[in-house]
């Protein structure tokens, strides 16, 4: 089942995922002084994942009101599609999906 969402909502989700996918590899990379044995426990992995998620959300909150961010992010995605020549019907569907 596919849920139909308003176009503005699609742009919001595209923008949010763009930021998440860009920032997530960077979270938790610096300052980890634990030994390998300390990192290998399931509890340590859960704590690390929660900390990374909290750090990511803290960074996302710094971007401000998402309603103000949707426009510039959507414009950037539009330019990216155009610059790569992705103009076919399938490409346009992928952009909206």
């Amino acid at each position: 089942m596919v849920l139909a969402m308003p176009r503005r909502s699609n742009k919001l989700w595209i923008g949010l995922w763009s930021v998440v996918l860009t920032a997530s590899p960077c979270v938790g990379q610096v300052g980890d002084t634990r030994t390998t044995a300390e990192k290998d426990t399931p509890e340590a992995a859960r704590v690390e994942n929660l900390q990374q998620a909290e750090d990511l959300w803290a960074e996302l909150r710094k971007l401000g009101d998402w309603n103000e961010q949707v426009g510039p992010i959507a414009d950037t995605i539009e330019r990216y599609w155009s610059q790569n020549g992705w103009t076919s019907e399938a490409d346009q569907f992928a952009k909206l999906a």
Side-chain angles (χ1 to χ4, degrees), residues 22-43:
T22 302
S24 59
C26 304
V27 175
Q29 296 288 324
V30 179
D32 194 354
T33 59
R34 295 174 297 151
T35 64
T36 302
E38 291 172 327
K39 293 179 186 179
D40 288 341
T41 65
E43 181 61 27

Side-chain angles (χ1 to χ4, degrees), residues 21 23-25 27 36 46-47 54 61 67 70 77 89:
L21 294 174
S24 59
V27 175
T36 302
R46 280 191 292 273
V47 169
E54 287 176 10
R61 275 189 228 105
N67 291 324
V70 171
I77 291 169
E89 184 179 348

Side-chain angles (χ1 to χ4, degrees), residues 2 10 13 21 23 29-30 33 51 56 60 63 66-67 69 72 82-84 91 93 95:
V2 176
N10 287 339
W13 282 109
L21 294 174
Q29 296 288 324
V30 179
T33 59
Q51 184 60 51
L56 178 60
L60 290 173
L63 292 175
W66 275 103
N67 291 324
Q69 300 297 327
S82 296
Q83 289 171 356
N84 285 295
D91 292 333
F93 176 79
K95 180 174 63 175

